[in-house]
Amino acid sequence: MTARPTAPAPTTPAESGPADATAQETSLLRLATAGSVDDGKSTLVGRLLHDCQAVLSDQLAAVERVSRARGQLAPDLALLTDGLRAEREQGITIDVAYRYFATPRRRFILADTPGHVQYTRNMVTGASTAELAVLLVDARNGVTEQTRRHTAVAALLRVPHLVLAVNKMDLVDHAEPVFAAIAEECARYAAALGAPPVVPIPISALNGDNVVHRSPSTPWYHGPTLLEHLESVDTGQGRAGHPARFPVQYVLRPQTSGGFRDYRGYAGRLASGVLRPGDPVTVLPSGERSVIAGIDRLGEQDVAYAVAPQSVTLRLADELDVSRGDLIVPSDAPPRLADRLTATVCHLSDRPLRAGDRLLLQHGTGTVRALVHSLDARLDLGTLAAEPAPQSLSANDIGQITLRTAAPLPLDDYRADRHTGSFLLVDEADGATVTAGMVGALDTHTEAERR
């Protein structure tokens, strides 16, 4: 057997300025995997981690030991990801598991999401923050209903990049026509959804073909391996390119002796955009205005800028009434305030969602009471047909609803900003998350109208 080259050790990029900070953002790729049961998703994730040398020696030794006990000649790399006992017993992925690994070119956060239709809600969770989704299909089965469901979810969530990994090519003799037919069918379906172009890659997760290393079994394929694509995909349209949105998490007033007696800072994680000292800003929902007097980071004072997704503390030139849940934004690019909105939602709870339900709406660090005014439609992800005015939404249903909130919220359209255009509906009684939502049309009130 010819030894394959090994991936170099992980590295951590440095940051030095706004341009470099944007580059740093693109150096981190959040991706999600989705595939039907038995398509080989766990094996693919295990293969990717193994061939990137992201597996600890004791983990690999444990996998080899279990594989030998089962009579398998080679390590079953799927065992690296099926961590839950129930998953191992059933041979499926149930919960969303996050894996972290890196190569010299990029760091990765991988959301390994389940494939069963009843766990579609978990894919929503994993893909909601992903910049790329890997849709896995079995080359023998081609595009299935679950493939279409996953593609539709990725399109609804506005995942910017889609990869179609056609797995088990070794079981179809690495036949190019099989791969081409599957790629064409998926491309047509994705185009009908308005999804971004799908990048198809023929792979064998079991043998490692075209996952990290190029396969000699597919000489007709001239595209990148899966890892090459993950390392090179352009994520330049990340958070830094959007108008700044700073949800306030904490108000810092140490009131200690020395230089911090009069310190007043607003701590949080910049959700999008770039902020600099001297920028005119508005605090929402109050609408009060000020100027950024300074920006502090952990261990650093008066830094030159903050870029998403950094965690920083802002100091303002004026003493305003700012508290947790407020949103600090550029005065020249604020979101609109809305107390009535339509949204695309994925229902996550086993308790059905009905018109008239009263819940808490959590948006960023803020929470308000909300009323489900109407259920407007439920989407059939298999046919893409919309059922108007359903009586309820059940777990895993995707639909459109209209909400009214007790107070105006600063919201962006989800199509413009995935971070401030999303929200959760929470059961006030037990704190359970009921529904995940993506903001659509807004019935808005401008700041002037509110005053």
Side-chain angles (χ1 to χ4, degrees), residues 141-408:
N141 302 327
V143 175
T144 65
E145 179 179 349
Q146 190 67 338
T147 309
R148 289 190 286 272
R149 184 182 298 275
H150 289 150
T151 307
V153 170
L156 286 170
L157 292 172
R158 300 277 174 181
V159 179
H161 302 279
L162 300 181
V163 171
L164 177 69
V166 182
N167 191 27
K168 304 188 182 182
M169 287 296 297
D170 53 312
L171 299 184
V172 295
D173 296 327
H174 300 97
E176 181 181 11
V178 173
F179 169 73
I182 295 172
E184 182 180 354
E185 182 179 356
C186 187
R188 284 201 306 270
Y189 186 75
L193 289 164
V198 179
V199 177
I201 301 175
I203 67 169
S204 168
L206 182 64
N207 298 328
D209 294 335
N210 295 326
V211 178
V212 172
H213 307 292
R214 188 166 297 279
S215 172
S217 301
T218 55
W220 44 264
Y221 176 69
H222 304 290
T225 67
L226 177 60
L227 181 64
E228 287 171 347
H229 182 68
L230 298 181
E231 287 183 325
S232 62
V233 68
D234 180 14
T235 58
Q237 297 178 350
R239 300 184 186 190
H242 297 151
R245 301 288 186 258
F246 185 79
V248 177
Q249 293 182 348
Y250 301 102
V251 178
L252 301 180
R253 293 201 64 193
Q255 296 182 313
T256 57
S257 59
F260 295 99
R261 180 175 296 279
D262 298 320
Y263 188 94
R264 181 193 293 265
Y266 307 106
R269 188 179 190 187
L270 188 56
S272 58
V274 179
L275 289 174
R276 296 177 177 81
D279 285 351
V281 293
T282 298
V283 181
L284 296 175
S286 69
E288 294 184 286
R289 300 190 180 203
S290 186
V291 172
I292 295 179
I295 301 175
D296 301 330
R297 281 202 298 257
L298 182 63
E300 297 179 90
Q301 277 193 279
D302 291 315
V303 297
Y305 65 90
V307 60
Q310 289 179 334
S311 295
V312 296
T313 299
L314 302 183
R315 287 177 281 115
L316 301 183
D318 305 283
E319 292 191 3
L320 305 181
D321 182 12
V322 180
S323 59
R324 175 181 171 85
D326 287 344
L327 187 69
I328 297 177
V329 301
S331 296
D332 60 353
R336 302 293 295 273
L337 292 173
D339 58 7
R340 180 187 173 100
L341 63 138
T342 62
T344 299
V345 298
C346 179
H347 191 55
L348 308 175
S349 173
D350 292 329
R351 191 192 77 182
L353 183 71
R354 294 187 172 87
D357 283 351
R358 296 179 182 276
L359 300 157
L360 296 178
L361 189 154
Q362 182 175 330
H363 173 252
T365 56
T367 303
V368 300
R369 296 180 187 277
L371 169 71
V372 180
H373 181 265
S374 61
L375 303 182
D376 305 323
R378 174 169 47 200
L379 183 65
D380 185 323
L381 291 175
T383 64
L384 299 182
E387 173 195 349
Q391 293 297 311
S392 64
L393 293 180
S394 302
N396 298 308
D397 276 349
I398 289 180
Q400 187 172 57
I401 68 173
T402 298
L403 290 167
R404 299 190 66 176
T405 59

Side-chain angles (χ1 to χ4, degrees), residues 2-18:
T2 302
R4 283 176 162 167
T6 56
T11 60
T12 302
E15 57 176 314
S16 58

Side-chain angles (χ1 to χ4, degrees), residues 402-420:
T402 298
L403 290 167
R404 299 190 66 176
T405 59
L409 284 174
L411 296 169
D412 286 301
D413 191 311
Y414 185 81
R415 291 169 296 185
D417 193 316
R418 296 173 68 195
H419 304 283
T420 50

